[in-house]
Each structure stands twice: as structure tokens, then as C-alpha cells.
Amino acid sequence: MRAGETMHKLTARQKAVLEYIGDSIHARGYPPTLREIGNHLGIRSTNGVNDHLRALERKGYLTREDMKSRTLRLMKTPDGRPSSRPPIANDNLVEIPIVGRVAAGALSEAIEHPEDTVHIDRMLIGGQRDVFGLRVTGESMIEAGIFDGDFVFVRKQLTANRGEVIIALVGDEATCKYYFPEREHVRLQPANKEMAPILIPKNDWQSTQVLGVVVGVYRRLH
Amino acid sequence: MRAGETMHKLTARQKAVLEYIGDSIHARGYPPTLREIGNHLGIRSTNGVNDHLRALERKGYLTREDMKSRTLRLMKTPDGRPSSRPPIANDNLVEIPIVGRVAAGALSEAIEHPEDTVHIDRMLIGGQRDVFGLRVTGESMIEAGIFDGDFVFVRKQLTANRGEVIIALVGDEATCKYYFPEREHVRLQPANKEMAPILIPKNDWQSTQVLGVVVGVYRRLH
DNA sequence: CATTGCAGGGGACATTTGTGCAGGATTTGG
DNA sequence: CCAAATCCTGCACAAATGTCCCCTGCAATG
């Protein structure tokens, strides 16, 4: 950085404006209007927003064109580096339906009508396809680090390997357990010393009872 | 692909329109207006341009929003491949830098030069801003369901509430622990019966030692 | 031959959007 | 302490911009 090229610092508010503009471009593909910025930051007057934009222009963080809508261009990031934000590459993102709760019943129906979806980085689910999400109820897998309220991401498949964490349909309830096929029965093993395994005789066991294999776990804190 | 979902081919004119929109976004950073498109292609009537846009929408090459200027989004390239800059429908996505591993040392440097990023649904981090990611090393939080190799998402902040899971800088190592401020010292409590708490005298404790509060945990399985 | 899609012209109209003016309250730097 | 900057409200206005309606012509299709 040369002398004379004074490093104009931003106020917190100006930084927030600049960040929202970047977010908008990044997420929607086009810059926001004055009023959109105002709405997002709780500024009721377009002039209030304009003040910020003028300040950001003066300090060299963005440029715009006269009397044209949405013609904002970012020149520098809030920390002063030249701006060039690559657009999100869709290839890395997957949209995942959250189909209900494990052990909540009537799951198969829920799968057809997802209530909600989340987007998740493909990297986090190991590049798997056909993944859906569930909310966990109960404490049966706490020793595996899967707690009440956690989200689990499940790769849809009808078979599993010994020892994997699976979602199985028992009766009409979905449940999350370790999978242990044995001679006479299939053992669904909880990860909780105080709970007994579920034993299902091989005769009663149908392949449709495995809904999928858990490939990821997410827990919100705070 | 269903029947009826035919591969809609573009006319030469429609292709030209689509390309100009792409050029505009690329060169100027924002999409053009109807009249700008018309000027560029020699179409004097906004309606003429609108016809093209409607056709492109119908064929799935772009989307736009009602009564908003410059809200064009490309969905497919002229040759039918998904657009390289696929605008995420909703803006509930956040790009999160993965800055290193907890207890890996030299973390503060890593924060400046993120090695990698993941995208995550804003819903999963409770709408927080200023979030970064870390990979956990070690077993010190297993009873809190945070295992070796897990990703933690951390809201950047210099203070925390009693009992929250935080990332703290101890010496030059970042560590993940429960936060318990007490009379004489700050206690960093592991969630592992076999490990002792770290006690840091209030004198040695500086606010900069809290790097942030853990707002989410992700674990890959399989 | 009627219909459909394409490619426009021309223009009225409503909405969106940026600009500008007139303030006020607070903070910051000298 | 004053001046400048920050961060707003509120409003009026004009320009930019999308939508809609009614046309013309042409080509392809059934």
C-alpha cells in the first residue's frame, strides 16, 4: 500500500451495507435496490441508504451509475482487498428434503411430501446422491454422538453393511440404530448402555425395512 | 426425463438474447434491462424483447421476478447445460471458510487465508453471521457429542456465556471446551471424564482468547 | 385453411427506483 | 467547543423500467 492511498476505514453500518450488497449479488445474481438494502438493515428512508452508498463510493468500495437501478459494483471487500467474488458453483450444493423425525411414524408418507429443505455442501455428505434428512428424537444413539434434536442425513438404500448407522422401519416407525445382521435375526443396536437391542427374526425382516445409511449428523448449538 | 420435458431448442435470436444477458452480467456485474437488450440487438419495442424473455423463461433458460428491474437469472447455457453461475433461489446460504483444525496451532494466521470453504444453509447455524469452520482434533468433547474429525461451526465473538461451547486460544493453540468463568480463573472444561479442566488465572486471561462460540457440529459418517 | 410459434412495431400505463431537499440526533476529531 | 461526519426520518418528483394491449408479417404444421 502506497502513501497517499489512504486506507479509508468503514463504520460498522457501512460495512453491513457493503456486505449485504455482496450477499445479494452472490446469492441472487444481481445487486439490490436502495429500498431492498433499507429493508434488510431496517433503514426506512431511501436517503439514509443513499448516504451510506455515497460514503462507500467516496471511500472507493463501490461504484454505481447515475439513474440506473441495481447498478452497484463492488470494488473492494470490507477489509480493503480488491473484490472478485466467484459465484457459488452449484455442483457443490445439494438440496435435501427434511422429511420428518425419526421414530415419528408415518415416515414413508412424509418422504413424498417434504416439509422443508436445506442446502448442504456435497463435500459434507461425501458426494452421495439420493440423500434425505431427518430430525432425531430420543437418546438411543447418544454414545455415537447423535443426540436428541440432531439432524441426520441419510443415503437412501435398501441394504447396509454390518456396523453402519442406519435408519430402519420397525412397524411403522423409523428408528436410528447400528445395523448388525446375525444368524437368526437382525440386531438393531442402540448406542446407549441403558437400552436393549431390538431383535427382529430373519423371517420378519424384509429388505424394505432398511431406509438408508446415515452419512452425516448435524447439531445446532447455542 | 419425462416425455414433454423435451430439450427445448433455442432460435438464433433467442440465443443472442441469452448470450447478451450473460455478457452483461459478466462484464458489468449486473443484468440488463429490457431496453438495454433491445438497443443491443436492434429491437425497438420493449415488447419484442419481452417476447424473447418469455420464450426463454418457458424453455427454462432463465427466470425473473415480477415488476423488478434487472432481476434476470440464467439457469442454463445456450447449449442446455446448467448455468455455471446458478443463482441460489433463496438467500439462506452462507459460505463458510474452513480455517484449520482446533488445537492445530497457528490458527490466527489460518483465519486470514482459508484453505477451503463449505456452503451451509443459514437455518443450520441459526441465522448467525461471521461464522467460520474448524475441524476438531482429539477426544476432549466426546461427552458433548463432538468427536475427533468433526466439523464445528463457530460464531466469531470475543465473549461468551457461562456453559457455552467455545473455541479458545490457549497459548498459540485453539481448543474446543465448555466455558466457565469463575472467581479466580477461567475454567475450560472438557466433556471427557478422563481429562482435567484447564484453569487460566484471571490475570493471564485476555478477552482475545475467546475466538468464538460453537453454533453447529457436523460429522461425516460412512 | 386454421393454428401455432417466431419476430417484431408502437404506445399507454403502473411500478419500481434513484435523486434531492429539509430537517434531527449523535458521534468524532481537532 | 465547533465543524464535520455519521445515520437517520419523511417526502416529493422524475426517470427508468416492466407489463399489457393491439397490430403486421412470415414460416411451419396439421
Side-chain angles (χ1 to χ4, degrees), chain B:
Chain B
M1 192 181 297
R2 267 185 270 130
E5 265 183 31
T6 356
M7 166 62 173
H8 295 287
K9 279 211 68 177
L10 293 183
T11 67
R13 211 63 177 138
Q14 289 164 0
K15 194 176 158 194
V17 171
L18 197 62
E19 273 169 2
Y20 173 63
I21 295 170
D23 286 350
S24 169
I25 294 173
H26 189 67
R28 305 189 298 174
Y30 47 79
T33 63
L34 294 190
R35 285 166 183 82
E36 284 172 356
I37 297 172
N39 278 337
H40 207 262
L41 303 201
I43 303 172
R44 258 176 297 221
S45 165
T46 54
N47 186 47
V49 177
N50 210 8
D51 284 349
H52 288 310
L53 294 190
R54 263 202 294 264
L56 289 168
E57 265 187 304
R58 178 168 43 78
K59 295 180 179 179
Y61 286 80
L62 63 81
T63 63
R64 35 180 193 158
E65 300 188 30
D66 282 353
M67 291 308 306
K68 290 187 166 184
S69 65
R70 301 179 192 273
T71 56
L72 307 172
R73 295 183 207 181
L74 303 184
M75 306 303 282
K76 286 193 282 188
T77 61
D79 33 302
R81 284 172 318 187
S83 171
S84 54
R85 46 180 67 219
I88 310 306
N90 31 27
D91 58 335
N92 22 8
L93 274 172
V94 203
E95 188 174 1
I96 292 180
I98 302 294
V99 300
R101 287 176 169 262
V102 189
L107 180 68
S108 37
E109 248 188 285
I111 288 185
E112 307 307 322
H113 301 289
E115 322 156 354
D116 202 3
T117 66
V118 300
H119 294 104
I120 190 167
D121 204 294
R122 186 160 275 147
M123 187 274 281
L124 291 176
I125 53 170
Q128 303 283 356
R129 314 181 96 264
D130 272 326
V131 172
F132 61 96
L134 285 173
R135 206 89 194 260
V136 171
T137 304
E139 312 269 278
S140 69
M141 294 298 283
I142 49 175
E143 286 157 23
I146 302 175
F147 292 6
D148 190 42
D150 286 3
F151 294 88
V152 291
F153 299 101
V154 186
R155 161 77 205 257
K156 212 182 289 184
Q157 56 184 64
L158 301 179
T159 61
N161 296 318
R162 183 179 180 76
E164 287 180 333
V165 178
I166 65 161
I167 304 296
L169 201 58
V170 178
D172 63 348
E173 289 210 342
T175 186
C176 180
K177 297 282 181 295
Y178 283 119
Y179 175 69
F180 287 105
E182 297 180 346
R183 293 157 215 79
E184 306 292 314
H185 50 252
V186 169
R187 174 162 56 96
L188 299 179
Q189 180 68 47
N192 184 334
K193 282 179 200 110
E194 294 167 18
M195 298 179 100
I198 300 175
L199 298 179
I200 299 169
K202 271 274 162 79
N203 292 344
D204 299 357
W205 181 261
Q206 288 149 25
S207 69
T208 60
Q209 292 193 271
V210 176
L211 296 180
V213 176
V214 175
V215 295
V217 184
Y218 188 82
R219 172 156 65 253
R220 276 177 64 171
L221 297 180
H222 202 55

